[in-house]
Amino acid sequence: MATLVQSYEQQYSVLTADITAKIGRLKSGHEENRDQLSREIQANFEEANDLLEQLELESRGAGAVSRLAAYRAELQRVREEYRSVLNSSATYNIDNDEAFDDWGSSDQRTKLLDNTERLERTGKNLTEGYRVILETEQIGAAVLQDLNAQRETIQRSRGRLRETDEQLNRSSRLMSSMIARSLQDRLILVLVLFFLGVLLCVGLYFYVT
């Protein structure tokens, strides 16, 4: 299952990078078939959603939930960027040749550089986010291990306390039995001494008389 999850994550990373690149091409305004490009981007969004759903089904644990949340947030950010490009492109006619003639080669190069830098920043953000998620998952696993070890220690301590309590109860019963036997022996000794005293008194009485 871990291999399948990693495959979904790699496909998602490649897909979001492709979406970002297409948004950059759409933003530059040099694409002849912008409608086709928009349809491709929308199809990519649907594919990304399907990948996240499959990833959610295959993933288990706190670390996986954190990664899914980060992926969904990143996809939402890219979707908002796409909507922003669509809204901004609606303010001018993309088929106007004069607009393309007004763009110099310097402007085109600048826009291409901006798109490249944006792609690089997106890739770095994804890499950094994935690294943070992995670190968080490792910390969570370590905390769970510590809690499990502490739980086992507490259980062993409880077991020793129960054994100690049982031993104390046995010792208490033994002491009570010894005390009762000692009192019984003393009572018998007193009765014997009393009986001997009575016999001695009777003997002296008969001796004197």
Side-chain angles (χ1 to χ4, degrees):
M1 185 180 71
T3 303
L4 185 59
V5 170
Q6 291 175 358
S7 175
Y8 285 149
E9 290 177 342
Q10 292 175 358
Q11 293 178 32
Y12 172 78
S13 299
V14 172
L15 189 58
T16 51
D18 186 34
I19 293 173
T20 303
K22 290 178 179 178
I23 291 175
R25 288 161 54 190
L26 189 64
K27 185 183 298 186
S28 65
H30 294 293
E31 286 292 327
E32 296 180 357
N33 195 348
R34 294 173 61 88
D35 293 337
Q36 178 64 28
L37 185 60
S38 297
R39 286 194 294 269
E40 292 179 0
I41 293 174
Q42 293 174 3
N44 290 148
F45 277 127
E46 293 178 359
E47 185 178 355
N49 286 326
D50 293 339
L51 278 175
L52 290 181
E53 291 178 359
Q54 292 294 328
L55 185 60
E56 185 175 5
L57 291 176
E58 295 294 336
S59 301
R60 296 292 184 274
V65 173
S66 300
R67 290 199 299 273
L68 281 171
Y71 293 153
R72 292 189 184 280
E74 178 65 19
L75 185 62
Q76 181 64 27
R77 186 194 64 77
V78 176
R79 192 187 301 275
E80 290 176 356
E81 183 179 358
Y82 170 65
R83 291 172 179 171
S84 176
V85 171
L86 290 182
N87 292 333
S88 62
S89 63
T91 59
Y92 58 88
N93 186 359
I94 59 174
D95 294 328
N96 190 352
D97 294 336
E98 294 180 357
F100 290 102
D101 294 337
D102 290 339
W103 288 346
S105 59
S106 177
D107 292 338
Q108 296 176 3
R109 191 182 304 110
T110 300
K111 292 181 179 298
L112 289 174
L113 290 175
D114 290 341
N115 292 332
T116 302
E117 292 176 356
R118 187 176 297 105
L119 287 174
E120 291 178 352
R121 287 196 299 270
T122 302
K124 290 180 180 179
N125 290 335
L126 287 173
T127 302
E128 182 66 19
Y130 186 68
R131 183 185 65 80
V132 172
I133 290 171
L134 288 178
E135 292 179 353
T136 304
E137 185 177 5
Q138 292 174 356
I139 293 173
V143 171
L144 289 177
Q145 290 178 356
D146 291 340
L147 291 176
N148 187 38
Q150 293 177 5
R151 182 174 61 85
E152 292 177 353
T153 301
I154 292 173
Q155 289 178 349
R156 288 195 298 268
S157 299
R158 287 179 177 176
R160 286 195 293 268
L161 285 174
R162 284 194 294 267
E163 293 176 357
T164 303
D165 187 59
E166 291 176 357
Q167 292 176 358
L168 288 175
N169 289 333
R170 286 196 296 269
S171 299
S172 178
R173 289 193 297 269
L174 180 60
M175 289 295 295
S176 299
S177 177
M178 292 175 63
I179 292 173
R181 186 174 300 176
S182 176
L183 292 174
Q184 184 179 1
D185 292 341
R186 289 184 180 181
L187 180 60
I188 293 173
L189 179 61
V190 169
L191 291 175
V192 169
L193 292 176
F194 177 75
F195 182 72
L196 289 177
V198 171
L199 289 178
L200 180 61
C201 291
V202 172
L204 289 175
Y205 175 75
F206 285 108
Y207 178 78
V208 172
T209 56

